[in-house]
Amino acid sequence: MKIKAQLLLVGLMMFSVACLSNKKQTSYEEDITYDYYRNDHYGYTVVYPLFLLPEGEGREEGQTFVADDGISNMQVYRTDKAGLSLEEAYRKDIEGRNVSEKQLEKNFYRMVWKERQNTCMQYTFWGYESFHELKFTYTPQNASRFGAVIPVVVESLMVDGLGREEDEDPDGFISFLFEFLDVCFYEKNLNRLIRDHDPCLSPYIDPQMGLQRYYAPGVFVYLAGSDRNFGFDEYGDFTFEPCAGGEISVTELPDGKSACELEFDNEGEVYYESVEKVPDVVVNAETLETKPVVLPYSDAQIRVVYVPNKHHSPVALYFVLTPDGWKFVFIDDTLCGA
């Protein structure tokens, strides 16, 4: 199975969605907290500020989020625009609107207009042969609030395909993985987040298992948790911040192919596979005795995800399906003699 994700990042925006967990605070005039909205039917994700309340998916295309004044709102949805091209849709949307600002780019357009005293702003993105739209309507009293959150929301929109029926991602792993990569991997240094116990990792770590790292200071591979600083030393890589370059592709590792055979043409490539267990660890360097790593959840599903390091060699991230969902349990920096 192969699913591609197009990150619809608008170049003119100066804000970034850095280290979003399930909730995030920013440094605007008021503390603004965000949560994720995921549309599984059409395969897209976006954040929304919690001063807007979701009305519920009245239609499968998307969702409306409304402020406490009952007027100001945010809408996100997928629409086909009746087979129009991007420029045709742009011209059609302008008709009948007294547009004060407009912008047409290669893969999106933006326009601003007034409805009575309220401001309306629409972003329309083109990808995967369909349109995805963000529309904001707000009163003059809410102008400051919306001005702060709109760039964050727009930059967070991620489309990972034409949508998936539930049986194509029955255990929710692909949806989880896209969120994890967005929050904790791309444009961040994962080693640094682990070393510094960054709070953005907390929702992805199981309290019973914690997080541990496979490392090799010499010939043998060892395992260390937070009590031993995850085995990091002064030579660890705490600078590499991978960039997806506008697209993430998540691919199941083909049968019979080793992770060490992977060639990462770009940092947006990710591979995964199901495994029966996690690697053993050396307990005696003289006798080469090893022991298995026992998980607290018997017969739990385990997925290993291969992402590139700064040398485009694979790093393994292990995820376990717990009663509380998928959790990040191990990182293996020792693959292929790394």
Side-chain angles (χ1 to χ4, degrees):
M1 178 174 68
K2 184 169 184 177
I3 297 174
K4 287 200 171 184
Q6 181 177 353
L7 295 177
L8 303 174
L9 302 181
V10 183
L12 64 106
M13 292 302 161
M14 301 305 295
F15 296 82
S16 64
V17 187
C19 221
L20 272 170
S21 60
N22 287 334
K23 295 180 180 179
K24 176 200 171 193
Q25 287 192 337
T26 64
S27 56
Y28 299 116
E29 294 179 1
E30 62 173 321
D31 286 336
I32 300 176
T33 308
Y34 295 85
D35 205 346
Y36 279 92
Y37 164 65
R38 168 73 186 171
N39 186 295
D40 285 317
H41 187 83
Y42 286 114
Y44 66 86
T45 305
V46 73
V47 302
Y48 66 94
L50 291 189
F51 67 75
L52 299 178
L53 299 179
E55 285 193 330
E57 288 185 331
R59 56 179 186 172
E60 62 188 13
E61 291 89 352
Q63 176 90 262
T64 298
F65 305 82
V66 183
D68 53 11
D69 63 8
I71 299 173
S72 303
N73 67 82
M74 158 187 157
Q75 299 177 53
V76 58
Y77 50 91
R78 175 194 182 273
T79 176
D80 288 324
K81 295 282 188 184
L84 300 176
S85 68
L86 183 71
E87 185 171 356
E88 289 169 341
Y90 169 73
R91 302 298 177 195
K92 187 174 180 62
D93 278 350
I94 286 179
E95 292 177 5
R97 292 173 175 172
N98 186 18
V99 173
S100 59
E101 298 178 33
K102 56 186 178 180
Q103 179 183 6
L104 175 62
E105 300 293 342
K106 182 178 180 181
N107 69 329
F108 81 97
Y109 60 83
R110 168 184 174 270
M111 58 186 65
V112 181
W113 70 97
K114 289 280 189 179
E115 292 182 359
R116 296 190 177 90
Q117 298 299 314
N118 304 323
T119 300
C120 299
M121 184 180 300
Q122 177 179 310
Y123 287 83
T124 301
F125 301 92
W126 168 254
Y128 294 104
E129 305 301 319
S130 62
F131 293 90
H132 293 78
E133 290 191 344
L134 284 164
K135 182 182 176 183
F136 306 90
T137 301
Y138 52 89
T139 63
Q141 294 79 10
N142 266 315
S144 177
R145 271 176 141 185
F146 274 75
V149 303
I150 286 174
V152 178
V153 173
V154 170
E155 235 184 89
S156 75
L157 180 62
M158 183 171 75
V159 181
D160 50 69
L162 292 176
R164 299 186 297 271
E165 299 298 334
E166 290 184 1
D167 59 355
E168 290 182 309
D169 188 22
D171 52 25
F173 180 72
I174 299 299
S175 298
F176 166 85
L177 179 58
F178 274 116
E179 179 184 313
F180 176 86
L181 294 171
D182 182 43
V183 174
C184 302
F185 186 70
Y186 287 111
E187 299 182 8
K188 294 94 181 173
N189 181 277
L190 184 56
N191 282 346
R192 189 168 63 241
L193 298 184
I194 293 171
R195 180 197 65 185
D196 297 344
H197 304 276
D198 195 288
C200 76
L201 281 171
S202 299
Y204 304 101
I205 297 176
D206 181 77
Q208 288 198 54
M209 290 184 288
L211 178 63
Q212 298 184 79
R213 175 174 173 261
Y214 289 92
Y215 70 104
V219 176
F220 304 111
V221 174
Y222 299 95
L223 188 63
S226 60
D227 58 332
R228 289 190 287 141
N229 196 33
F230 303 100
F232 286 122
D233 56 30
E234 60 183 310
Y235 302 107
D237 172 26
F238 302 112
T239 60
F240 176 59
E241 296 185 355
C243 178
E247 186 176 272
I248 303 171
S249 66
V250 173
T251 308
E252 187 167 8
L253 191 70
D255 290 340
K257 186 166 187 174
S258 164
C260 294
E261 298 178 79
L262 293 175
E263 296 181 1
F264 294 96
D265 294 328
N266 60 71
E267 293 166 7
E269 289 184 302
V270 175
Y271 297 85
Y272 75 94
E273 65 176 329
S274 297
V275 295
E276 295 296 325
K277 66 185 189 73
V278 300
D280 296 345
V281 292
V282 173
V283 293
N284 188 317
E286 294 184 359
T287 64
L288 303 183
E289 179 187 358
T290 63
K291 71 173 183 179
V293 178
V294 180
L295 304 179
Y297 306 107
S298 60
D299 301 322
Q301 292 187 57
I302 305 171
R303 299 267 167 80
V304 56
V305 174
Y306 302 107
V307 295
N309 63 14
K310 66 181 179 181
H311 304 295
H312 284 197
S313 296
V315 173
L317 312 179
Y318 284 83
F319 298 90
V320 173
L321 184 57
T322 75
D324 195 32
W326 289 98
K327 297 295 179 181
F328 179 34
V329 183
F330 302 98
I331 178 171
D332 187 349
D333 280 325
T334 69
L335 292 182
C336 315

